[in-house]
């Protein structure tokens, strides 16, 4: 089960999602090859609002994710967490890292669409 230890969830809920959109691996109802993206690609991101892990319509949109982290209280469509300062993220290269909510938005977008060529965790 993908669950933040700071979140209280009901059975079948998760606080992790993929980001769907034209510039992500999960867009348009069809997946894309990960070979089309760089190694510094966020694959799974944390969200504050829990959703059913089996509902494909509840994934985060690219436009909401590109806005930033922990922006609005109770935002079901944004990246966020109940622990202070940022979110946990699973990357294509198998790393799991905590990303600060103060990350530069252009760097965040590059990590979400896989165009960032170098990133030090």
């Amino acid at each position: 089960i993908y669950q933040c230890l700071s979140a209280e969830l009901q059975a079948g809920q998760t606080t992790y999602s993929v980001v769907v959109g034209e510039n992500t691996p999960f867009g348009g109802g069809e997946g894309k090859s990960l070979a089309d993206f760089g190694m510094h690609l966020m694959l799974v991101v944390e969200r504050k609002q829990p959703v059913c892990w089996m509902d494909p319509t509840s994934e985060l949109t690219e436009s909401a994710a590109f806005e930033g982290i922990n922006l609005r209280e109770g935002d079901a469509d944004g990246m966020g967490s109940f622990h202070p300062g940022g979110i946990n993220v699973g990357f294509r290269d198998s790393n799991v890292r905590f990303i600060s909510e103060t990350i530069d938005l252009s760097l965040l977008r590059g990590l979400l669409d896989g165009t960032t060529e170098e990133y030090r965790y």
Side-chain angles (χ1 to χ4, degrees):
I1 296 176
Y2 293 100
Q3 175 182 348
C4 171
L5 297 176
S6 301
E8 293 183 27
L9 302 180
Q10 296 177 7
Q13 288 186 320
T14 184
T15 51
Y16 289 90
S17 290
V18 298
V19 176
V20 296
E22 184 178 316
N23 298 305
T24 73
F26 312 99
E30 292 185 24
K32 299 175 187 170
S33 172
L34 290 180
D36 295 338
F37 298 89
M39 289 303 291
H40 304 292
L41 170 68
M42 292 179 169
L43 286 179
V44 179
V45 300
E46 194 170 9
R47 63 187 307 153
K48 189 177 275 187
Q49 201 67 296
V51 295
C52 175
W53 73 274
M54 291 287 292
D55 182 3
T57 65
S58 66
E59 301 300 353
L60 293 175
T61 65
E62 179 180 55
S63 60
F66 280 1
E67 291 179 18
I69 300 169
N70 284 334
L71 293 180
R72 297 176 301 274
E73 187 66 32
D75 181 11
D77 294 324
M79 295 187 297
S81 68
F82 287 100
H83 41 270
I87 62 172
N88 292 301
V89 172
F91 283 88
R92 174 185 175 202
D93 64 4
S94 75
N95 280 300
V96 175
R97 296 287 186 241
F98 186 79
I99 303 297
S100 172
E101 64 191 16
T102 61
I103 188 172
D104 177 79
L105 286 182
S106 62
L107 176 57
L108 177 65
R109 289 179 180 143
L111 293 171
L112 285 163
D113 67 16
T115 58
T116 296
E117 292 185 21
E118 183 175 339
Y119 180 64
R120 297 186 189 267
Y121 299 114

